Structure formats: structure tokens, C-alpha cells
Amino acid sequence: MEYNTSKTQLQMPEYGRIIQQLVERCQELENRDERNEMAVAIVDFMGQRNPQLRDESNYKHKLWDHLFILAKYDLDVDSPYHIPTPEEMQVKPKRMEYPKLQGDFKFYGKSILQLIDKAIELEAGDEKDALIQVIANNMKKSYNVYNKEHVQDEVIFRHLKDLSENRLDLTVLDSLEKSKIYYATNRSNKSNPRHQPKTQNNRKNFQNNKNRK
């Protein structure tokens, strides 16, 4: 009985031993045309065994790279793509940048940073002032939800100043007012009967039905 430990080590276990043996057989062929033909057949077979790769735009290129990995980069065939080297395949990916919001500010979210950047770009005026008010009010809401406690306005002002790198400063204010957009939205909802609570309409219907009796 032959154990797997006595067999050739699989370079990529996800392809299985059958494909590994086919690659080894392809390496043994002396005729280059036969090697090229068999290499193409192996790549097609690898694609059938891993159909999830087909969702990627460069899946054919990836399959050919995997073929050379299976052959330990020792396969003399005509590849339609650049033939990789061990050094190229072992290059570590670039380090991903973490979001700037860390520590005490992580609960504000990335959208707050985007709004702050937008407010910084705007010229001084009513539009910029209104956007800063919206940002500060949303920051206060996020703070209260995350920390489950009431936050003083001066804390929000200080955080906004730090996040904007001192370019948006509300620390001169005594308190935070509701934004114009917030008030405009509430007024429009109150004036529109479609936004009235259903309980009020249900109460009227109940009273009318009672009077009919």
C-alpha cells in the first residue's frame, strides 16, 4: 500500500494529485509540440476543476501561472503569457492602509471624514456653515449611540477640529444648534398630512364610527 507521504509533494493541493501527475508527465515529454499541446489541455482541465476562477477577468493568466507553480517553474512550453519566476511569485503584497479613524474617533465612521473633506473644499458662506452644522450634529448622534451617554458640545467641537486638522473650528461657539436642513425636513414633514402618525388617523376613524352608532 502506498501512502501519500511517500508520494511527490503537492505544490498546490487544491488541484489534486491527478493534475500534479499530468504536469509531471508533461515535463517528461521530449517533443516540444507535444508538451505545448498537453500544457494547453492541462490548463483547460484545471479551469474545469476550479470553475470559480472563471469569474475573474484574468483567470486564464492565473491558470497558466499555477501550471508553472505545479511544475516548480521547470516546464519548457510556449505560454501565451509572461512565464513567472519563483522570485516574482514570492513578492509580498503591498501593505493595506488602515482607515484614518482609530482610537477615540472610530465610531464616527468613514462618511464623516468624507463630509469633512467636502466642507473643507467649500468656500466660506452659508452652504459651508450649514454642512458643518450637519457634520457636527451627526457626530454628536454617533457619539451618543456608540458610547450610550450624553456628550457635551465642546467635546464634539474639539473632535471636529482634530479630524479636520484645525481647518473646521467650532470651538468659539457655546453650544451646538440644530442644522437648517434638520429644521427644514421637520417642517416639511409636519405640513404634509401623509407624514402624520397613523395612530392619529386611527383615533379619528374610531371616533367617527362611534358617533355613527
Side-chain angles (χ1 to χ4, degrees), residues 182-204:
Y182 176 84
Y183 276 129
T185 303
N186 280 349
R187 282 198 297 269
S188 62
N189 289 342
K190 291 179 181 179
S191 61
N192 192 336
R194 290 183 299 175
H195 293 285
Q196 292 182 1
K198 291 183 178 180
T199 53
Q200 184 176 355
N201 293 333
N202 291 340
R203 231 182 256 118
K204 289 181 179 179

Tab-separated table of all heavy atoms in Angstrom, residues 182-204:
chain	number	residue	atom	x	y	z
A	182	TYR	N	-32.002	70.085	9.117
A	182	TYR	CA	-32.802	69.301	10.060
A	182	TYR	C	-34.156	69.964	10.289
A	182	TYR	O	-35.198	69.333	10.248
A	182	TYR	CB	-32.041	69.166	11.377
A	182	TYR	CG	-32.805	68.460	12.469
A	182	TYR	CD1	-32.821	67.076	12.544
A	182	TYR	CD2	-33.516	69.188	13.421
A	182	TYR	CE1	-33.522	66.429	13.542
A	182	TYR	CE2	-34.223	68.546	14.423
A	182	TYR	CZ	-34.218	67.163	14.490
A	182	TYR	OH	-34.925	66.533	15.466
A	183	TYR	N	-34.142	71.287	10.517
A	183	TYR	CA	-35.390	72.009	10.749
A	183	TYR	C	-36.271	72.028	9.499
A	183	TYR	O	-37.487	71.874	9.578
A	183	TYR	CB	-35.102	73.436	11.201
A	183	TYR	CG	-34.853	73.545	12.683
A	183	TYR	CD1	-33.728	74.208	13.164
A	183	TYR	CD2	-35.734	72.983	13.584
A	183	TYR	CE1	-33.494	74.305	14.531
A	183	TYR	CE2	-35.509	73.074	14.946
A	183	TYR	CZ	-34.393	73.737	15.427
A	183	TYR	OH	-34.170	73.831	16.765
A	184	ALA	N	-35.647	72.205	8.329
A	184	ALA	CA	-36.425	72.236	7.090
A	184	ALA	C	-37.119	70.907	6.858
A	184	ALA	O	-38.268	70.846	6.424
A	184	ALA	CB	-35.510	72.578	5.914
A	185	THR	N	-36.447	69.818	7.168
A	185	THR	CA	-37.034	68.492	6.995
A	185	THR	C	-38.203	68.283	7.930
A	185	THR	O	-39.259	67.773	7.554
A	185	THR	CB	-35.960	67.412	7.233
A	185	THR	OG1	-34.872	67.639	6.352
A	185	THR	CG2	-36.526	66.021	6.979
A	186	ASN	N	-38.052	68.698	9.196
A	186	ASN	CA	-39.124	68.524	10.154
A	186	ASN	C	-40.345	69.360	9.800
A	186	ASN	O	-41.478	68.905	9.929
A	186	ASN	CB	-38.632	68.910	11.559
A	186	ASN	CG	-37.830	67.784	12.185
A	186	ASN	OD1	-37.824	66.689	11.662
A	186	ASN	ND2	-37.163	68.081	13.294
A	187	ARG	N	-40.142	70.596	9.329
A	187	ARG	CA	-41.269	71.445	8.951
A	187	ARG	C	-42.043	70.856	7.785
A	187	ARG	O	-43.264	70.870	7.753
A	187	ARG	CB	-40.763	72.850	8.606
A	187	ARG	CG	-40.437	73.703	9.828
A	187	ARG	CD	-40.386	75.180	9.445
A	187	ARG	NE	-39.328	75.432	8.483
A	187	ARG	CZ	-38.101	75.773	8.823
A	187	ARG	NH1	-37.773	75.884	10.109
A	187	ARG	NH2	-37.184	76.002	7.909
A	188	SER	N	-41.303	70.305	6.808
A	188	SER	CA	-41.978	69.734	5.647
A	188	SER	C	-42.776	68.501	6.034
A	188	SER	O	-43.845	68.238	5.502
A	188	SER	CB	-40.942	69.381	4.565
A	188	SER	OG	-40.045	68.401	5.035
A	189	ASN	N	-42.274	67.718	7.003
A	189	ASN	CA	-42.985	66.527	7.442
A	189	ASN	C	-44.266	66.884	8.188
A	189	ASN	O	-45.297	66.220	8.031
A	189	ASN	CB	-42.087	65.678	8.350
A	189	ASN	CG	-40.969	65.001	7.570
A	189	ASN	OD1	-41.051	64.890	6.355
A	189	ASN	ND2	-39.935	64.548	8.268
A	190	LYS	N	-44.199	67.964	9.005
A	190	LYS	CA	-45.384	68.351	9.765
A	190	LYS	C	-46.466	68.930	8.871
A	190	LYS	O	-47.655	68.761	9.115
A	190	LYS	CB	-44.989	69.374	10.835
A	190	LYS	CG	-44.138	68.772	11.948
A	190	LYS	CD	-43.746	69.823	12.963
A	190	LYS	CE	-42.878	69.223	14.059
A	190	LYS	NZ	-42.463	70.255	15.049
A	191	SER	N	-46.050	69.643	7.795
A	191	SER	CA	-47.031	70.260	6.914
A	191	SER	C	-47.641	69.264	5.946
A	191	SER	O	-48.677	69.539	5.355
A	191	SER	CB	-46.372	71.400	6.122
A	191	SER	OG	-45.312	70.897	5.319
A	192	ASN	N	-47.016	68.109	5.780
A	192	ASN	CA	-47.504	67.105	4.849
A	192	ASN	C	-48.336	66.090	5.615
A	192	ASN	O	-47.825	65.379	6.489
A	192	ASN	CB	-46.317	66.394	4.180
A	192	ASN	CG	-46.763	65.546	2.994
A	192	ASN	OD1	-47.919	65.136	2.921
A	192	ASN	ND2	-45.844	65.282	2.069
A	193	PRO	N	-49.652	65.987	5.346
A	193	PRO	CA	-50.507	65.067	6.123
A	193	PRO	C	-50.108	63.614	5.951
A	193	PRO	O	-50.410	62.790	6.789
A	193	PRO	CB	-51.910	65.337	5.556
A	193	PRO	CG	-51.658	65.907	4.191
A	193	PRO	CD	-50.401	66.702	4.317
A	194	ARG	N	-49.406	63.286	4.862
A	194	ARG	CA	-49.011	61.889	4.663
A	194	ARG	C	-47.994	61.439	5.688
A	194	ARG	O	-47.819	60.248	5.912
A	194	ARG	CB	-48.443	61.707	3.247
A	194	ARG	CG	-49.493	61.814	2.159
A	194	ARG	CD	-48.884	61.554	0.799
A	194	ARG	NE	-47.844	62.536	0.499
A	194	ARG	CZ	-47.088	62.486	-0.592
A	194	ARG	NH1	-47.238	61.508	-1.459
A	194	ARG	NH2	-46.177	63.409	-0.798
A	195	HIS	N	-47.305	62.397	6.321
A	195	HIS	CA	-46.284	62.071	7.309
A	195	HIS	C	-46.831	62.085	8.735
A	195	HIS	O	-46.077	61.918	9.679
A	195	HIS	CB	-45.111	63.056	7.210
A	195	HIS	CG	-44.343	62.915	5.933
A	195	HIS	ND1	-43.468	61.881	5.695
A	195	HIS	CD2	-44.338	63.680	4.818
A	195	HIS	CE1	-42.939	62.016	4.495
A	195	HIS	NE2	-43.458	63.105	3.943
A	196	GLN	N	-48.148	62.340	8.903
A	196	GLN	CA	-48.714	62.328	10.238
A	196	GLN	C	-48.781	60.898	10.742
A	196	GLN	O	-48.957	59.957	9.977
A	196	GLN	CB	-50.128	62.926	10.224
A	196	GLN	CG	-50.133	64.419	9.931
A	196	GLN	CD	-51.537	64.970	9.981
A	196	GLN	OE1	-52.481	64.242	10.244
A	196	GLN	NE2	-51.666	66.270	9.747
A	197	PRO	N	-48.648	60.689	12.043
A	197	PRO	CA	-48.674	59.334	12.594
A	197	PRO	C	-49.986	58.639	12.294
A	197	PRO	O	-51.053	59.246	12.287
A	197	PRO	CB	-48.490	59.562	14.107
A	197	PRO	CG	-47.891	60.935	14.216
A	197	PRO	CD	-48.411	61.714	13.059
A	198	LYS	N	-49.908	57.337	12.065
A	198	LYS	CA	-51.104	56.563	11.760
A	198	LYS	C	-52.048	56.504	12.959
A	198	LYS	O	-53.251	56.387	12.805
A	198	LYS	CB	-50.702	55.153	11.344
A	198	LYS	CG	-49.990	55.113	9.999
A	198	LYS	CD	-49.696	53.672	9.613
A	198	LYS	CE	-49.023	53.619	8.245
A	198	LYS	NZ	-48.718	52.227	7.836
A	199	THR	N	-51.488	56.590	14.164
A	199	THR	CA	-52.324	56.489	15.357
A	199	THR	C	-53.336	57.626	15.421
A	199	THR	O	-54.463	57.447	15.882
A	199	THR	CB	-51.444	56.525	16.620
A	199	THR	OG1	-50.601	57.684	16.561
A	199	THR	CG2	-50.558	55.285	16.691
A	200	GLN	N	-52.968	58.816	14.933
A	200	GLN	CA	-53.883	59.955	14.941
A	200	GLN	C	-55.049	59.708	13.995
A	200	GLN	O	-56.199	59.971	14.327
A	200	GLN	CB	-53.130	61.228	14.547
A	200	GLN	CG	-53.991	62.480	14.626
A	200	GLN	CD	-53.187	63.739	14.311
A	200	GLN	OE1	-51.988	63.660	14.127
A	200	GLN	NE2	-53.846	64.860	14.250
A	201	ASN	N	-54.769	59.179	12.792
A	201	ASN	CA	-55.831	58.868	11.842
A	201	ASN	C	-56.727	57.759	12.377
A	201	ASN	O	-57.951	57.783	12.203
A	201	ASN	CB	-55.221	58.456	10.503
A	201	ASN	CG	-54.499	59.616	9.831
A	201	ASN	OD1	-54.846	60.771	10.054
A	201	ASN	ND2	-53.499	59.289	9.018
A	202	ASN	N	-56.132	56.769	13.029
A	202	ASN	CA	-56.927	55.669	13.579
A	202	ASN	C	-57.868	56.168	14.664
A	202	ASN	O	-59.003	55.705	14.798
A	202	ASN	CB	-55.997	54.601	14.157
A	202	ASN	CG	-55.217	53.886	13.055
A	202	ASN	OD1	-55.627	53.916	11.905
A	202	ASN	ND2	-54.107	53.258	13.428
A	203	ARG	N	-57.385	57.155	15.461
A	203	ARG	CA	-58.223	57.700	16.525
A	203	ARG	C	-59.439	58.420	15.947
A	203	ARG	O	-60.547	58.317	16.433
A	203	ARG	CB	-57.361	58.667	17.358
A	203	ARG	CG	-57.436	58.358	18.845
A	203	ARG	CD	-56.620	59.333	19.660
A	203	ARG	NE	-55.381	58.726	20.094
A	203	ARG	CZ	-54.196	59.160	19.746
A	203	ARG	NH1	-54.074	60.194	18.959
A	203	ARG	NH2	-53.115	58.581	20.210
A	204	LYS	N	-59.220	59.179	14.822
A	204	LYS	CA	-60.323	59.900	14.185
A	204	LYS	C	-61.350	58.915	13.626
A	204	LYS	O	-62.553	59.112	13.758
A	204	LYS	CB	-59.779	60.785	13.075
A	204	LYS	CG	-58.983	61.994	13.582
A	204	LYS	CD	-58.488	62.836	12.413
A	204	LYS	CE	-57.721	64.048	12.913
A	204	LYS	NZ	-57.215	64.873	11.771
